[in-house]
Amino acid sequence: EALIFLICLSYCQVGEAYPCSMLSKDGYKLCTDFSQFGLVKLYNVAGKSGDLKHKESVYFYPTRVAVNLIAGSTAAVAHVGAPSISSTRALEESLSASVPGTSHLAIIVQTNFQLCAYTTSELHVSMLGLFCEESTFRRLPNVVFFKITRDSVKGAFRFGIEAGQILQFLKMNAHPRLRTGGQLIPSNIEDQILLWDRERHRVQMEEVYLLQCQDANEFQAVVQYTIDLGAHMWSNEHKNTIMVRYTQTESVMAYVQKFRARAAKKRRRGDIY
């Protein structure tokens, strides 16, 4: 039953929808297991998200990884340039060896953020775990599966890894058959990793000092002074409050004291006269 499903899957078209109702009970169970590895995408046309109990309303979409993993089309190799042919041969030799080598890594990133890596090296698995979600780790004899998530990528940023380094790593180790003219990484994945990186710089924390002015005249004078000084961060005219950069508090308070001294001197003169 499993072999029949695998053979049928090798003849499927990537991205096409196929009804699960045509599968037997065991075949449908195997299909749901494949979805955990990211080899197929299951969708319930009845609109009940996550409800996969009734296969009559469920369709499966084969991914490129599933078709290539099972079919392993050899026709595509004939159209590849010399460098890609040698890389492909090295990969095929590594995967077909009785004891696979540990130095080869070939990565396929799918548009659903699923990452498939052809490797048997624990070092490669650890490297991928730096920016992939470890809880999504799945393993076959020569292939490992991960999921790229916002939290996992941000965790890599906290380790000092840059978005450019992650993308460069994925491109440098992309599967040789992706080098036939297509994109090494789906554009939505690349854009999203860059957006996650920019989120770190969207909000900047800065320490400020809250100054309460005595009246509107003092407020206007101090606001103008802090703007000229480059220390102004925020102000509220109705409450006569100003936020200034904490590092420039000393200069601002010196100005405030001088202003209040001049204002007090003027008031005393007014009382005398």
Side-chain angles (χ1 to χ4, degrees):
E1 191 72 38
L3 287 175
I4 293 175
F5 177 71
L6 293 174
I7 294 171
C8 292
L9 190 60
S10 67
Y11 287 95
C12 293
Q13 296 293 324
V14 177
E16 290 290 330
Y18 297 91
C20 291
S21 56
M22 67 180 183
L23 301 176
S24 64
K25 181 179 179 180
D26 292 335
Y28 182 63
K29 185 178 185 304
L30 183 63
C31 186
T32 56
D33 290 340
F34 271 31
S35 69
Q36 298 297 319
F37 287 95
L39 297 176
V40 298
K41 175 69 175 178
L42 297 179
Y43 179 73
N44 191 336
V45 296
K48 297 180 180 179
S49 178
D51 183 9
L52 303 177
K53 294 181 180 179
H54 306 289
K55 67 178 183 178
E56 290 75 14
S57 60
V58 178
Y59 284 71
F60 72 90
Y61 296 79
T63 64
R64 191 174 302 278
V65 173
V67 176
N68 289 342
L69 179 66
I70 298 164
S73 174
T74 57
V77 179
H79 302 286
V80 184
S84 295
I85 290 176
S86 61
S87 300
T88 304
R89 285 177 179 171
L91 174 63
E92 290 175 348
E93 290 173 1
S94 174
L95 297 181
S96 62
S98 56
V99 181
T102 59
S103 61
H104 200 87
L105 175 63
I107 297 173
I108 298 176
V109 182
Q110 303 180 67
T111 55
N112 62 351
F113 292 87
Q114 191 83 28
L115 183 146
C116 167
Y118 292 81
T119 184
T120 57
S121 169
E122 292 299 327
L123 176 61
H124 292 157
V125 174
S126 298
M127 293 169 65
L128 293 169
L130 290 174
F131 59 87
C132 294
E133 188 65 47
E134 293 183 353
S135 62
T136 63
F137 174 69
R138 300 291 185 273
R139 187 164 211 158
L140 294 177
N142 296 323
V143 188
V144 296
F145 298 90
F146 277 105
K147 193 89 169 180
I148 299 175
T149 66
R150 181 175 181 269
D151 291 339
S152 64
V153 172
K154 290 210 163 188
F157 294 157
R158 287 192 290 271
F159 282 117
I161 301 173
E162 300 292 334
Q165 293 175 312
I166 295 175
L167 295 174
Q168 183 182 12
F169 175 80
L170 294 175
K171 290 177 181 179
M172 286 179 60
N173 295 284
H175 194 290
R177 291 183 182 174
L178 295 176
R179 303 180 187 277
T180 58
Q183 289 182 321
L184 300 180
I185 305 176
S187 58
N188 69 308
I189 304 297
E190 185 170 359
D191 292 342
Q192 188 60 70
I193 291 177
L194 293 174
L195 286 173
W196 285 333
D197 185 37
R198 290 172 189 167
E199 285 182 4
R200 298 187 296 162
H201 310 292
R202 249 187 344 190
V203 178
Q204 295 182 351
M205 303 297 292
E206 188 163 352
E207 195 171 2
V208 297
Y209 178 80
L210 179 62
L211 173 64
Q212 179 64 57
C213 297
Q214 293 180 343
D215 53 41
N217 291 333
E218 179 181 310
F219 174 82
Q220 295 295 337
V222 176
V223 165
Q224 188 59 51
Y225 175 78
T226 55
I227 292 175
D228 295 340
L229 186 63
H232 184 271
M233 298 297 293
W234 176 85
S235 57
N236 187 322
E237 185 176 2
H238 298 290
K239 296 184 179 180
N240 291 335
T241 54
I242 307 172
M243 287 186 180
V244 299
R245 297 181 191 275
Y246 189 80
T247 55
Q248 296 174 288
T249 302
E250 188 175 348
S251 299
V252 175
M253 291 307 299
Y255 174 81
V256 171
Q257 290 173 3
K258 290 180 181 178
F259 181 88
R260 290 177 178 176
R262 290 197 301 267
K265 191 175 182 179
K266 289 180 180 179
R267 284 197 297 270
R268 285 197 300 270
R269 287 180 179 177
D271 293 341
I272 294 173
Y273 295 108

